[in-house]
PDB file of all heavy atoms in Angstrom:
ATOM      1  N   PHE A 255     -21.713   3.610  37.929  1.00  0.00           N
ATOM      2  CA  PHE A 255     -22.851   4.396  37.355  1.00  0.00           C
ATOM      3  C   PHE A 255     -23.862   4.792  38.346  1.00  0.00           C
ATOM      4  O   PHE A 255     -24.911   5.364  38.229  1.00  0.00           O
ATOM      5  CB  PHE A 255     -23.629   3.618  36.311  1.00  0.00           C
ATOM      6  CG  PHE A 255     -22.914   3.525  35.003  1.00  0.00           C
ATOM      7  CD1 PHE A 255     -22.144   2.400  34.565  1.00  0.00           C
ATOM      8  CD2 PHE A 255     -22.811   4.670  34.097  1.00  0.00           C
ATOM      9  CE1 PHE A 255     -21.453   2.396  33.359  1.00  0.00           C
ATOM     10  CE2 PHE A 255     -22.144   4.662  32.906  1.00  0.00           C
ATOM     11  CZ  PHE A 255     -21.421   3.680  32.502  1.00  0.00           C
ATOM     12  N   GLU A 256     -23.459   4.485  39.715  1.00  0.00           N
ATOM     13  CA  GLU A 256     -24.400   4.949  40.750  1.00  0.00           C
ATOM     14  C   GLU A 256     -24.577   6.389  40.786  1.00  0.00           C
ATOM     15  O   GLU A 256     -23.528   7.159  40.503  1.00  0.00           O
ATOM     16  CB  GLU A 256     -23.884   4.519  42.173  1.00  0.00           C
ATOM     17  CG  GLU A 256     -23.736   2.987  42.440  1.00  0.00           C
ATOM     18  CD  GLU A 256     -22.495   2.475  41.881  1.00  0.00           C
ATOM     19  OE1 GLU A 256     -21.650   3.118  41.248  1.00  0.00           O
ATOM     20  OE2 GLU A 256     -22.262   1.103  42.142  1.00  0.00           O
ATOM     21  N   CYS A 257     -25.836   6.864  40.946  1.00  0.00           N
ATOM     22  CA  CYS A 257     -26.108   8.370  40.986  1.00  0.00           C
ATOM     23  C   CYS A 257     -26.085   8.964  39.511  1.00  0.00           C
ATOM     24  O   CYS A 257     -26.165  10.190  39.447  1.00  0.00           O
ATOM     25  CB  CYS A 257     -25.135   9.090  41.860  1.00  0.00           C
ATOM     26  SG  CYS A 257     -25.003   8.426  43.563  1.00  0.00           S
ATOM     27  N   ALA A 258     -25.927   8.275  38.529  1.00  0.00           N
ATOM     28  CA  ALA A 258     -25.801   8.808  37.134  1.00  0.00           C
ATOM     29  C   ALA A 258     -27.039   9.519  36.836  1.00  0.00           C
ATOM     30  O   ALA A 258     -27.052  10.611  36.316  1.00  0.00           O
ATOM     31  CB  ALA A 258     -25.542   7.634  36.120  1.00  0.00           C
ATOM     32  N   ALA A 259     -28.233   8.931  37.097  1.00  0.00           N
ATOM     33  CA  ALA A 259     -29.550   9.480  36.828  1.00  0.00           C
ATOM     34  C   ALA A 259     -29.691  10.959  37.444  1.00  0.00           C
ATOM     35  O   ALA A 259     -30.138  11.817  36.746  1.00  0.00           O
ATOM     36  CB  ALA A 259     -30.719   8.714  37.108  1.00  0.00           C
ATOM     37  N   GLU A 260     -29.312  10.955  38.719  1.00  0.00           N
ATOM     38  CA  GLU A 260     -29.476  12.332  39.473  1.00  0.00           C
ATOM     39  C   GLU A 260     -28.568  13.297  38.809  1.00  0.00           C
ATOM     40  O   GLU A 260     -28.885  14.375  38.665  1.00  0.00           O
ATOM     41  CB  GLU A 260     -29.083  12.051  40.829  1.00  0.00           C
ATOM     42  CG  GLU A 260     -30.050  11.294  41.727  1.00  0.00           C
ATOM     43  CD  GLU A 260     -29.925   9.843  41.691  1.00  0.00           C
ATOM     44  OE1 GLU A 260     -29.063   9.426  40.821  1.00  0.00           O
ATOM     45  OE2 GLU A 260     -30.376   9.041  42.723  1.00  0.00           O
ATOM     46  N   LEU A 261     -27.282  12.924  38.480  1.00  0.00           N
ATOM     47  CA  LEU A 261     -26.330  13.795  37.878  1.00  0.00           C
ATOM     48  C   LEU A 261     -26.804  14.238  36.517  1.00  0.00           C
ATOM     49  O   LEU A 261     -26.624  15.400  36.185  1.00  0.00           O
ATOM     50  CB  LEU A 261     -24.912  13.277  37.836  1.00  0.00           C
ATOM     51  CG  LEU A 261     -24.325  13.080  39.285  1.00  0.00           C
ATOM     52  CD1 LEU A 261     -23.045  12.200  39.124  1.00  0.00           C
ATOM     53  CD2 LEU A 261     -24.001  14.380  39.871  1.00  0.00           C
ATOM     54  N   VAL A 262     -27.233  13.434  35.635  1.00  0.00           N
ATOM     55  CA  VAL A 262     -27.705  13.714  34.352  1.00  0.00           C
ATOM     56  C   VAL A 262     -28.968  14.794  34.477  1.00  0.00           C
ATOM     57  O   VAL A 262     -28.888  15.687  33.758  1.00  0.00           O
ATOM     58  CB  VAL A 262     -28.095  12.564  33.572  1.00  0.00           C
ATOM     59  CG1 VAL A 262     -28.956  12.941  32.293  1.00  0.00           C
ATOM     60  CG2 VAL A 262     -26.929  11.689  33.175  1.00  0.00           C
ATOM     61  N   ALA A 263     -29.710  14.546  35.367  1.00  0.00           N
ATOM     62  CA  ALA A 263     -30.942  15.524  35.545  1.00  0.00           C
ATOM     63  C   ALA A 263     -30.439  16.855  36.003  1.00  0.00           C
ATOM     64  O   ALA A 263     -30.867  17.933  35.534  1.00  0.00           O
ATOM     65  CB  ALA A 263     -31.852  14.872  36.632  1.00  0.00           C
ATOM     66  N   LEU A 264     -29.422  16.945  36.888  1.00  0.00           N
ATOM     67  CA  LEU A 264     -28.936  18.205  37.268  1.00  0.00           C
ATOM     68  C   LEU A 264     -28.093  18.869  36.111  1.00  0.00           C
ATOM     69  O   LEU A 264     -28.154  20.127  35.916  1.00  0.00           O
ATOM     70  CB  LEU A 264     -27.983  18.002  38.453  1.00  0.00           C
ATOM     71  CG  LEU A 264     -28.645  17.634  39.786  1.00  0.00           C
ATOM     72  CD1 LEU A 264     -27.573  17.226  40.831  1.00  0.00           C
ATOM     73  CD2 LEU A 264     -29.544  18.754  40.298  1.00  0.00           C
ATOM     74  N   GLU A 265     -27.463  18.095  35.328  1.00  0.00           N
ATOM     75  CA  GLU A 265     -26.692  18.694  34.226  1.00  0.00           C
ATOM     76  C   GLU A 265     -27.673  19.246  33.327  1.00  0.00           C
ATOM     77  O   GLU A 265     -27.421  20.303  32.720  1.00  0.00           O
ATOM     78  CB  GLU A 265     -25.905  17.533  33.501  1.00  0.00           C
ATOM     79  CG  GLU A 265     -25.110  18.079  32.290  1.00  0.00           C
ATOM     80  CD  GLU A 265     -24.514  16.944  31.453  1.00  0.00           C
ATOM     81  OE1 GLU A 265     -25.250  16.483  30.542  1.00  0.00           O
ATOM     82  OE2 GLU A 265     -23.376  16.604  31.658  1.00  0.00           O
ATOM     83  N   MET A 266     -28.760  18.552  32.914  1.00  0.00           N
ATOM     84  CA  MET A 266     -29.716  19.107  32.047  1.00  0.00           C
ATOM     85  C   MET A 266     -30.284  20.467  32.438  1.00  0.00           C
ATOM     86  O   MET A 266     -30.434  21.405  31.713  1.00  0.00           O
ATOM     87  CB  MET A 266     -30.920  18.135  31.812  1.00  0.00           C
ATOM     88  CG  MET A 266     -30.285  16.853  31.150  1.00  0.00           C
ATOM     89  SD  MET A 266     -31.809  15.691  30.711  1.00  0.00           S
ATOM     90  CE  MET A 266     -32.854  16.621  29.628  1.00  0.00           C
ATOM     91  N   GLN A 267     -30.555  20.632  33.801  1.00  0.00           N
ATOM     92  CA  GLN A 267     -30.974  21.904  34.299  1.00  0.00           C
ATOM     93  C   GLN A 267     -30.008  22.975  34.032  1.00  0.00           C
ATOM     94  O   GLN A 267     -30.285  24.087  33.725  1.00  0.00           O
ATOM     95  CB  GLN A 267     -31.346  21.802  35.873  1.00  0.00           C
ATOM     96  CG  GLN A 267     -32.564  20.721  36.154  1.00  0.00           C
ATOM     97  CD  GLN A 267     -32.745  20.504  37.511  1.00  0.00           C
ATOM     98  OE1 GLN A 267     -32.202  21.339  38.383  1.00  0.00           O
ATOM     99  NE2 GLN A 267     -33.441  19.615  37.902  1.00  0.00           N
ATOM    100  N   ALA A 268     -28.774  22.587  34.450  1.00  0.00           N
ATOM    101  CA  ALA A 268     -27.634  23.604  34.241  1.00  0.00           C
ATOM    102  C   ALA A 268     -27.506  24.027  32.758  1.00  0.00           C
ATOM    103  O   ALA A 268     -27.188  25.240  32.299  1.00  0.00           O
ATOM    104  CB  ALA A 268     -26.282  23.145  34.767  1.00  0.00           C
ATOM    105  N   ARG A 269     -27.637  23.051  31.929  1.00  0.00           N
ATOM    106  CA  ARG A 269     -27.380  23.262  30.443  1.00  0.00           C
ATOM    107  C   ARG A 269     -28.511  24.116  29.966  1.00  0.00           C
ATOM    108  O   ARG A 269     -28.322  25.126  29.157  1.00  0.00           O
ATOM    109  CB  ARG A 269     -27.430  21.840  29.684  1.00  0.00           C
ATOM    110  CG  ARG A 269     -27.318  22.010  28.194  1.00  0.00           C
ATOM    111  CD  ARG A 269     -26.644  20.727  27.523  1.00  0.00           C
ATOM    112  NE  ARG A 269     -27.064  19.519  28.243  1.00  0.00           N
ATOM    113  CZ  ARG A 269     -28.011  18.741  27.534  1.00  0.00           C
ATOM    114  NH1 ARG A 269     -28.539  19.177  26.448  1.00  0.00           N
ATOM    115  NH2 ARG A 269     -28.373  17.541  28.027  1.00  0.00           N
ATOM    116  N   GLU A 270     -29.755  23.904  30.429  1.00  0.00           N
ATOM    117  CA  GLU A 270     -30.793  24.735  29.810  1.00  0.00           C
ATOM    118  C   GLU A 270     -30.807  26.098  30.371  1.00  0.00           C
ATOM    119  O   GLU A 270     -31.211  27.117  29.755  1.00  0.00           O
ATOM    120  CB  GLU A 270     -32.195  24.080  30.317  1.00  0.00           C
ATOM    121  CG  GLU A 270     -32.555  22.678  29.679  1.00  0.00           C
ATOM    122  CD  GLU A 270     -33.716  21.996  30.256  1.00  0.00           C
ATOM    123  OE1 GLU A 270     -34.139  22.522  31.235  1.00  0.00           O
ATOM    124  OE2 GLU A 270     -34.045  20.907  29.665  1.00  0.00           O
ATOM    125  N   ALA A 271     -30.190  26.293  31.558  1.00  0.00           N
ATOM    126  CA  ALA A 271     -29.962  27.596  32.077  1.00  0.00           C
ATOM    127  C   ALA A 271     -28.775  28.301  31.709  1.00  0.00           C
ATOM    128  O   ALA A 271     -28.480  29.485  31.977  1.00  0.00           O
ATOM    129  CB  ALA A 271     -29.964  27.541  33.625  1.00  0.00           C
TER     130      ALA A 271
END
Side-chain angles (χ1 to χ4, degrees):
F255 284 107
E256 294 87 357
C257 310
E260 291 90 340
L261 289 169
V262 168
L264 291 170
E265 181 193 88
M266 291 180 69
Q267 294 173 18
R269 179 152 46 100
E270 291 171 358

